[in-house]
Amino acid sequence: QVQLVESGGGLVQAGGSRRLSCAASGIIFSINDMGWYRQAPGKQRELVATITRGGSTNYTDSVKGRFTISRDNAKNTVYLQMNSLKPEDTAVYYCNAQLREAFTTKYLERWGQGTLVTVSS
């Protein structure tokens, strides 16, 4: 069974930095797009950033210039470097991947369990 496991969440002061990691485990044939989403209390889940297998990136406007998404294809891992954090960045951050498990023919969407990032003012 393929799993996405996030790490790196926690409490950070405004203006600080945090790096999230998400590793896909299991017997994986290939991973296409990977991304990070977040859900703040009382709000819907929103896209934060995505990255293609080739390294092309996309960011929501509110994090441009502050967050950087990257990936290590050899390790099936995606990262989110978050700088200049603001209280409004407080949310549960979820990892997402479009992946194909070994011995299957379709790419399916997988989600991690989420990791909480709290930014104090």
Side-chain angles (χ1 to χ4, degrees), residues 63-82:
V63 308
K64 285 180 180 177
R66 299 188 298 123
F67 290 12
T68 301
I69 189 171
S70 61
R71 64 189 284 174
D72 184 332
N73 291 330
K75 296 181 179 179
N76 291 332
T77 300
V78 62
Y79 307 96
L80 186 68
Q81 178 66 43
M82 305 184 292

Side-chain angles (χ1 to χ4, degrees), residues 28-94:
I28 299 168
F29 179 81
S30 178
I31 303 177
N32 283 342
D33 293 357
M34 302 185 81
W36 289 95
Y37 291 71
R38 67 185 179 186
Q39 187 166 16
K43 295 187 177 181
Q44 290 187 333
R45 190 175 298 189
E46 65 171 354
L47 171 70
V48 176
T50 60
I51 184 167
T52 67
R53 183 171 180 81
S56 296
T57 58
N58 178 58
Y59 298 91
T60 192
D61 286 346
S62 62
V63 308
K64 285 180 180 177
R66 299 188 298 123
F67 290 12
T68 301
I69 189 171
S70 61
R71 64 189 284 174
D72 184 332
N73 291 330
K75 296 181 179 179
N76 291 332
T77 300
V78 62
Y79 307 96
L80 186 68
Q81 178 66 43
M82 305 184 292
N83 299 328
S84 302
L85 282 161
K86 305 175 181 179
E88 51 263 43
D89 294 318
T90 295
V92 177
Y93 284 73
Y94 296 91

